[in-house]
Amino acid sequence: MRKKIVAGNWKMNLDYQSGLSLFSEIINMAKDEVIGNQELVVCSPFIHLSSLGQLSKNVANVNIGAQNIHQAESGAYTGEISAGQVKSVGASHVILGHSERRAYFGETDALLAAKVDIALKHGLTPIFCIGETKEERESGDFFEIIKTQLTAGLFHLSNEDFAAVVLAYEPVWAIGTGLTASPEQAQEVHQFIRQVVAEKYGQEAADNTSILYGGSCNPGNAKDLFAQADIDGGLIGGASLKSRDFIDIAKVFN
Ligand code: G3P
């Protein structure tokens, strides 16, 4: 059966020491309190990754990830970080397709498809984000928009490669707004995503794909969201910056 995952996206927050302190708290709490098979993934800024990799080396079920990578193998790309580099410091995951990167950094479906390829080549699990804006939801076209994001970013993959991908549905209107999708709204889209995956890769592959919900997820609403049949965990922004909240969200799967 598919994995239950609670992933944190620290975004561009926390200086080096604050990040280490937060991660140490998360690890300690996870050891004592997270007793199910759920996987925790902390996606930090690049500056923390190497140290977090050391801290989490022998901690079962706590992994770390990057929030971006460059699509090239290596070379003259001043200021960029490659898949191989983040892998080399212990990262196992990378967030790709986040709406903030699509909106503020002009990341297109084609670019994201290339980033997915290089991530997989280096053994990184992409946490691939899809989701509609407020206008797109109100227009009623959001199912088509989500299907296009999936198709263009991922459906060039073989069955084997697709099996290594985690999906995250993040309605843009719910990110950092305190406005969460209702469990029913989220489930409706997650079910749709699973159906689109089944049409392309078969029902078994779809049933094995973890689909996370992201958007103002917190300890108060996680239980109802994660109780939905097609919601396999969360991609947590603001609440992942507080160890207590992040662990309480993860404990929903205890
Ligand atoms: O990637 C996580 C995210 O965009 C959700 O952020 O702060 O609404 O939980 P937040």
Side-chain angles (χ1 to χ4, degrees):
M1 239 352 224
R2 54 186 178 260
K3 253 188 208 167
K4 305 298 184 190
I5 302 169
V6 175
N9 177 5
W10 287 359
K11 306 194 179 182
M12 197 175 72
N13 292 298
L14 304 170
D15 65 19
Y16 179 70
Q17 279 306 336
S18 315
L20 259 55
S21 306
L22 173 61
F23 191 70
S24 302
E25 287 171 20
I26 287 171
I27 284 185
N28 288 333
M29 289 179 171
K31 280 183 194 156
D32 293 341
E33 302 180 40
V34 176
I35 55 171
N37 288 325
Q38 64 274 50
E39 180 181 10
L40 273 61
V41 184
V42 171
C43 298
S44 73
F46 293 125
I47 60 155
H48 302 105
L49 278 178
S50 171
S51 300
L52 305 196
Q54 292 300 321
L55 288 169
S56 59
K57 227 174 195 165
N58 300 313
V59 186
N61 287 347
V62 179
N63 291 314
I64 58 164
Q67 300 168 19
N68 182 34
I69 47 170
H70 193 271
Q71 67 276 18
E73 190 65 53
S74 63
Y77 299 101
T78 301
E80 293 295 321
I81 307 269
S82 74
Q85 288 173 323
V86 303
K87 181 76 184 176
S88 74
V89 292
S92 52
H93 291 67
V94 59
I95 296 172
L96 293 173
H98 195 284
S99 58
E100 287 153 16
R101 295 218 54 94
R102 292 179 192 261
Y104 307 147
F105 302 97
E107 296 204 348
T108 62
D109 291 328
L111 175 70
L112 292 168
K115 290 192 177 196
V116 167
D117 288 343
I118 197 94
L120 290 170
K121 184 176 172 207
H122 286 274
L124 291 170
T125 297
I127 301 176
F128 192 80
C129 304
I130 51 185
E132 80 285 0
T133 62
K134 187 166 176 277
E135 295 69 39
E136 288 165 346
R137 173 152 283 256
E138 284 164 358
S139 76
D141 294 338
F142 59 100
F143 286 115
E144 261 327 291
I145 284 155
I146 287 164
K147 187 172 181 175
T148 302
Q149 290 173 339
L150 269 176
T151 308
L154 295 175
F155 282 8
H156 62 289
L157 296 176
S158 65
N159 268 71
E160 194 189 344
D161 280 344
F162 186 82
V165 174
V166 170
L167 300 177
Y169 169 57
E170 296 208 330
V172 180
W173 47 272
I175 295 176
T177 57
L179 199 71
T180 318
S182 69
E184 295 73 27
Q185 280 175 320
Q187 166 59 20
E188 183 186 34
V189 178
H190 280 236
Q191 188 175 28
F192 171 75
I193 292 168
R194 201 175 303 286
Q195 177 196 319
V196 173
V197 171
E199 282 161 16
K200 169 72 180 170
Y201 291 104
Q203 193 60 51
E204 195 184 336
D207 287 342
N208 287 330
T209 303
S210 298
I211 310 176
L212 315 184
Y213 168 79
S216 299
C217 193
N218 60 46
N221 58 33
K223 193 162 177 262
D224 288 343
L225 285 161
F226 298 174
Q228 302 300 310
D230 290 290
I231 301 183
D232 306 308
L235 180 53
I236 319 298
S240 75
L241 298 171
K242 293 181 189 142
S243 51
R244 183 72 270 154
D245 286 359
F246 187 59
I247 293 295
D248 281 349
I249 294 170
K251 282 168 71 176
V252 168
F253 290 117
N254 272 357

